[in-house]
Amino acid sequence: MALGGASLLLLAGHLCLARANRPPSPVNVTVTQLKANSATVSWDVPEGDVIIGYAILQQRQDGQMQRFIREVNTTNRACVLWDLAEDADYVIQVQSIGLHGESQASKRVHFRTLKETDRLPSNSSNQGDITVEGLDKERQLQTGEIIIIVAVLLMWAAVIALFCRQYDIIKDNDSNNAKEKAKPSSEHSTPERPAGGLLRSKKKSPSVNIIEV
């Protein structure tokens, strides 16, 4: 009887030691990149413990399917869940795997997959999404084309303004030259003489001397 009690105490001691050496449970478990048949689950691990892997319990809420994913010798803090049912509710829990065992399961996280016709929700991560990247590239191309068109229009406006200025200068020069040609030169002109022809000298009247006797 005493031997049995000692065995129970020893087993209890091993259990307590195993629990003490367990790594901490993952925190900040989130589900992103939701699609109709896939999703990505990510989490954080508190510092100070050596983590060599993870385990994920994935369960459909209606109880039709349950999956257990376990991976060791990895430092990944994210996992892609494939082959999910469309428009279905799921619950996941994550465990950290350490050198002395597994942590307790994290808090239960609920998510729902999308329909095929649904778009990505605004709060989900769209990194690596081909459609979104294509839209971003198209917007960049449109912006570049607009900049080029504006630059060409400004250049043409500058050329037209320069042409009009040169045309006005040439027009003013032609007008001044025409006026100079029409105006007679004062140096070669003959002064006009008064009517009646050439100037005539005045005739002197004969003088009469009267002598008184």
Side-chain angles (χ1 to χ4, degrees), residues 26-93:
V27 295
N28 300 327
V29 180
T30 56
V31 178
T32 58
Q33 296 186 2
L34 275 173
K35 297 181 181 180
N37 302 112
S38 66
T40 300
V41 56
S42 60
W43 61 91
D44 295 327
V45 176
E47 297 181 357
D49 291 89
V50 179
I51 305 300
I52 61 172
Y54 61 84
I56 298 176
L57 177 61
Q58 168 193 321
Q59 184 174 4
R60 190 165 168 175
Q61 205 162 27
D62 56 11
Q64 293 183 4
M65 185 184 67
Q66 184 174 349
R67 179 184 297 170
F68 187 74
I69 304 172
R70 180 185 174 93
E71 186 172 348
V72 294
N73 298 326
T74 179
T75 57
N76 288 338
R77 299 293 182 264
C79 177
V80 179
L81 307 177
W82 298 99
D83 298 329
L84 302 179
E86 176 187 354
D87 194 22
D89 293 307
Y90 286 89
V91 175
I92 59 170
Q93 288 180 290

Side-chain angles (χ1 to χ4, degrees), residues 109-183:
V109 177
H110 167 266
F111 69 93
R112 185 179 183 87
T113 55
L114 303 179
K115 297 180 181 180
E116 288 290 348
T117 55
D118 290 343
R119 300 180 61 184
L120 287 174
S122 58
N123 58 349
S124 63
S125 174
N126 50 19
Q127 294 179 354
D129 187 83
I130 299 176
T131 303
V132 176
E133 289 180 356
L135 290 175
D136 291 340
K137 290 181 180 179
E138 185 176 354
R139 290 171 184 171
Q140 292 177 0
L141 290 175
Q142 290 179 354
T143 303
E145 291 174 356
I146 292 174
I147 293 175
I148 293 174
I149 292 173
V150 172
V152 172
L153 291 177
L154 291 176
M155 183 177 66
W156 275 107
V159 171
I160 293 173
L162 180 62
F163 175 78
C164 292
R165 183 177 179 183
Q166 294 294 333
Y167 178 77
D168 291 339
I169 293 174
I170 294 172
K171 187 176 180 181
D172 292 340
N173 291 336
D174 291 342
S175 177
N176 293 333
N177 292 333
K179 290 180 180 179
E180 290 179 358
K181 290 179 180 179
K183 183 179 180 180

